[in-house]
Amino acid sequence: MTVVILFTYICNVQLARQVCEDICKDVHAKDEAMFVMTLNGKDLDSLLHSYEDFCRRLNCNESALQNVSSSSKTKEEKIKDLRSQISCRNKNWKKWWIIVDNVENLELISPLLPLKGDEVWKDGQVILTTQNTNAVPQDSTSTKHISLIHGMNDQECRQLLVLLSCTKVNDPLLDEMAEKLDRQPLAMAAAAVYMREVTINCPDFSWRDYLRKLEKGKRGLTEKRLRQMNSAAYSSTMSTAVLLAVRKCAENNTILEHAFNLFSLISFEPLPLDLVVKYIQEQQEVDAEDVITAIKLSSLFVQDGSNGDVRLHRVVHEAVKTFCLFDKSEKDNTENTSASEEENITHIYRVVKIMSYFSKREDKIKSIPHLKAFHKEIIDNIHFPDQALYLLSLRFEKADISQMYISLGSTLYRFCQYELSMEFLQLALKIQLNHLGPNHTDVATLYSYLGVLCSVKGDLDQANDYYQRALKIRLEQLGPNHTDVATSYNSLGNMCRIKADLDQANEYYQKALNIQLEQLGPNHTDVASLYNNLSNV
């Protein structure tokens, strides 16, 4: 079985179907019994419903399906049971294609798809469409990544890199190089010429070594050789030319300058245009249509299909960061230093605010690469190393800032970015403790969030500690019969059940049940959940 991952910003099932049709023609599908099925991989609920439909289309036993649907198992377990039903029917088909569309969390969905290496699933292929570039695995014998981003196609990129670098045509890193260079001819030409010149004297130098130079921000150094060889054709390197373009645009258009400021602290990857507009409007009185027009007319921004996103090529992003960090810093150093620091903190605050808007959006998956990049930029901030985020709470409303951090932490948690989620929630806790004191119910809520996070990470002792702290505050502030107290008891019961301390788990669940019965009545769904927990014990 081969898994084909379509990395597409226009996450369109029709596109995946077109790929299937083209492949089917190659395998003479008309002469073989085969099926094509589309699954919605947006989340567990969507995938579960798709699998139920899948089973019925393959005429699986309806009674067995009803048993799975009505069971008390988790959604993941139900999906695996349905997958087993389908696998029993798979032997009737010579070929099959499964399209898993609109995958947001690839790490969550992948284990629930047909199993690679399983003999039952050997005669087909799975095609996934996803917008999450961070989760896409590298190409292998069973996985193929097809990128539909702008630029030269894969074959053209390999031919150019091999021709100018004189390296091996089958080097597995060539595709990765093309992607890192945005498939831009001049960028790839510069990289290839650099490789050729260096390997003459250092034969062990590889494309991997070149990638490390890019990661260290040394793109400009690697471009010089091409400029020296072709000074008449290329009067400057690509990086230099792009940086000059960024400077010129910022000088001539304040809208673009604000947009550069935003992207300087986040990733180059797609960002909804309406958030860019909101960011700019919070600093400048300007109509939305004027912002949209300025960005769409700028050659430095890439319009990402029809979904209203904009992004930057990597080389443009590097130039933007250089301009905002160094060019502006040099200018600021000639002026008032304290005013410059205040402006930097305000800039960081505005970016945090924009990122926090994702918490109420359907496309919050798009925030993940930006939050990762933002966190790294802040940690490495030359003005406020290791303290920039906390300094925001000293300059702006503490309650406002802590809620922003909670929303960022919650979004990261949803997409399995546990370590980074923990950092934002710990920041929120630090602010809440200083602002509200150690015995406030909002602090208890944060302890509960942190308990859930530690539980998922497998740190059960720390999770139990956070839950105990939350319980203590709620008992003191809300009394022994409040539903939030029941929530704490239920969380502690979960911890004890995982640790196999079933007697203690039963005691916590009983306490929670007594409160919920008194406060919510016998027919509430929270009461039903507690009965279910008790039955599991």
Side-chain angles (χ1 to χ4, degrees):
M1 181 183 69
T2 301
V3 178
V4 179
I5 299 178
L6 288 176
F7 161 36
T8 170
Y9 293 114
I10 314 172
C11 207
N12 193 327
V13 70
Q14 296 304 323
L15 183 59
R17 283 195 175 279
Q18 183 63 55
V19 172
C20 274
E21 289 175 8
D22 292 343
I23 299 174
C24 287
K25 293 175 183 176
D26 294 336
V27 298
H28 308 292
K30 292 181 179 179
D31 301 327
E32 299 181 288
M34 69 172 294
F35 68 79
V36 177
M37 181 66 194
T38 301
L39 304 178
N40 187 343
K42 186 177 189 301
D43 51 36
L44 290 179
D45 285 325
S46 301
L47 189 61
L48 178 59
H49 292 319
S50 295
Y51 263 113
E52 290 172 348
D53 181 42
F54 194 179
C55 285
R56 291 188 172 93
R57 289 174 184 268
L58 292 182
N59 297 318
C60 293
N61 185 279
E62 185 63 32
S63 177
L65 299 186
Q66 292 296 332
N67 289 338
V68 172
S69 178
S70 60
S71 72
S72 60
K73 293 183 177 181
T74 64
K75 293 171 186 174
E76 290 94 332
E77 291 170 331
K78 289 182 179 180
I79 290 172
K80 290 177 181 178
D81 287 345
L82 294 174
R83 184 179 64 188
S84 297
Q85 295 284 330
I86 293 167
S87 66
C88 294
R89 296 277 176 173
N90 233 22
K91 58 187 178 182
N92 299 326
W93 302 88
K94 294 289 186 181
K95 291 285 182 183
W96 56 265
W97 303 87
I98 295 176
I99 305 166
V100 188
D101 188 48
N102 199 29
V103 177
E104 290 187 353
N105 190 336
L106 194 58
E107 294 177 348
L108 178 67
I109 298 299
S110 289
L112 305 175
L113 301 179
L115 300 171
K116 288 186 288 183
D118 191 323
E119 184 70 12
V120 175
W121 296 99
K122 66 182 177 63
D123 293 322
Q125 297 198 31
V126 178
I127 294 183
L128 296 95
T129 64
T130 181
Q131 295 177 339
N132 186 1
T133 62
N134 296 313
V136 173
Q138 291 184 345
D139 286 0
S140 67
T141 55
S142 60
T143 303
K144 175 63 179 176
H145 171 206
I146 302 174
S147 177
L148 302 177
I149 200 169
H150 303 302
M152 300 171 69
N153 65 41
D154 289 343
Q155 183 178 357
E156 292 169 339
C157 291
R158 284 192 290 270
Q159 289 174 342
L160 176 61
L161 290 170
V162 170
L163 177 66
L164 295 183
S165 68
C166 299
T167 55
K168 295 179 180 178
V169 68
N170 59 350
D171 193 318
L173 284 176
L174 290 177
D175 288 335
E176 186 177 350
M177 280 302 308
E179 183 180 351
K180 294 292 185 183
L181 297 168
D182 295 311
R183 295 176 170 78
Q184 299 304 302
L186 185 56
M188 288 189 291
V193 168
Y194 181 83
M195 276 292 295
R196 186 181 68 208
E197 296 297 312
V198 171
T199 52
I200 290 174
N201 299 309
C202 305
D204 293 333
F205 191 84
S206 67
W207 283 116
R208 178 65 66 194
D209 296 316
Y210 181 85
L211 285 173
R212 292 193 186 99
K213 282 186 172 290
L214 284 185
E215 291 167 359
K216 293 178 180 179
K218 296 181 178 180
R219 182 196 293 264
L221 175 65
T222 66
E223 292 176 329
K224 289 182 179 179
R225 184 58 182 156
L226 180 64
R227 182 177 64 83
Q228 292 168 353
M229 294 174 58
N230 300 274
S231 57
Y234 308 112
S235 59
S236 62
T237 66
M238 186 173 183
S239 295
T240 303
V242 171
L243 181 55
L244 288 171
V246 169
R247 287 174 183 157
K248 185 174 181 179
C249 287
E251 290 171 1
N252 296 333
N253 192 319
T254 56
I255 290 176
L256 295 180
E257 183 181 12
H258 291 315
F260 293 152
N261 284 337
L262 171 60
F263 274 93
S264 71
L265 286 184
I266 59 177
S267 173
F268 59 86
E269 298 195 46
L271 186 70
L273 182 55
D274 63 298
L275 290 184
V276 180
V277 172
K278 188 182 290 288
Y279 175 86
I280 294 170
Q281 286 181 321
E282 290 184 356
Q283 300 168 77
Q284 179 179 347
E285 188 174 339
V286 59
D287 293 330
E289 59 268 24
D290 293 328
V291 176
I292 294 170
T293 300
I295 290 176
K296 287 193 172 183
L297 289 177
S298 172
S299 61
L300 295 175
F301 288 91
V302 180
Q303 311 308 309
D304 208 64
S306 59
N307 57 0
D309 291 351
V310 293
R311 66 175 181 86
L312 298 174
H313 280 309
R314 286 174 177 82
V315 66
V316 177
H317 190 240
E318 290 167 7
V320 163
K321 290 200 294 184
T322 299
F323 168 72
C324 292
L325 184 60
F326 296 109
D327 283 30
K328 294 183 71 175
S329 295
E330 290 178 6
K331 179 182 176 182
D332 293 337
N333 287 337
T334 63
E335 300 174 357
N336 190 313
T337 303
S338 60
S340 172
E341 292 181 355
E342 186 68 33
E343 182 179 343
N344 284 321
I345 285 291
T346 302
H347 176 207
I348 295 169
Y349 168 76
R350 287 169 174 160
V351 175
V352 170
K353 191 173 182 180
I354 288 298
M355 290 295 102
S356 70
Y357 288 146
F358 269 109
S359 63
K360 297 180 180 179
R361 296 172 61 100
E362 291 294 324
D363 57 356
K364 53 176 62 69
I365 180 69
K366 296 176 184 177
S367 69
I368 301 304
H370 297 295
L371 289 174
K372 287 182 175 179
F374 172 72
H375 186 262
K376 184 179 185 303
E377 290 295 329
I378 295 305
I379 293 300
D380 298 338
N381 191 290
I382 62 173
H383 300 292
F384 313 103
D386 300 323
Q387 58 177 339
L389 288 176
Y390 181 65
L391 284 176
L392 296 187
S393 66
L394 303 179
R395 309 288 181 89
F396 300 95
E397 176 59 43
K398 290 185 174 68
D400 186 32
I401 291 294
S402 65
Q403 286 304 313
M404 289 181 189
Y405 289 157
I406 291 171
S407 72
L408 298 181
S410 300
T411 299
L412 289 160
Y413 169 79
R414 176 178 175 180
F415 296 104
C416 306
Q417 304 295 322
Y418 300 132
E419 294 296 336
L420 197 50
S421 175
M422 178 71 77
E423 292 202 35
F424 279 105
L425 291 180
Q426 289 283 9
L427 269 171
L429 176 63
K430 183 178 180 181
I431 296 168
Q432 295 280 44
L433 286 170
N434 289 342
H435 182 52
L436 302 173
N439 297 315
H440 197 279
T441 53
D442 286 353
V443 173
T445 300
L446 261 174
Y447 280 139
S448 291
Y449 289 160
L450 289 164
V452 171
L453 198 49
C454 289
S455 176
V456 171
K457 292 173 60 182
D459 190 351
L460 302 185
D461 290 337
Q462 185 61 64
N464 185 75
D465 180 61
Y466 280 130
Y467 287 140
Q468 290 287 1
R469 294 186 196 185
L471 174 63
K472 182 180 179 182
I473 294 171
R474 286 168 172 169
L475 283 170
E476 291 178 359
Q477 300 299 321
L478 303 174
N481 296 317
H482 196 279
T483 53
D484 286 355
V485 173
T487 300
S488 287
Y489 282 136
N490 186 59
S491 298
L492 286 164
N494 291 337
M495 283 299 94
C496 291
R497 188 178 71 184
I498 294 172
K499 295 167 71 174
D501 188 355
L502 301 186
D503 290 335
Q504 185 62 65
N506 183 75
E507 182 179 337
Y508 281 131
Y509 286 145
Q510 288 289 356
K511 288 182 178 181
L513 177 62
N514 292 337
I515 296 172
Q516 299 287 43
L517 284 170
E518 181 179 338
Q519 300 298 323
L520 304 176
N523 295 318
H524 197 278
T525 53
D526 288 354
V527 172
S529 296
L530 277 165
Y531 280 134
N532 188 65
N533 288 343
L534 283 163
S535 71
N536 288 332
V537 170

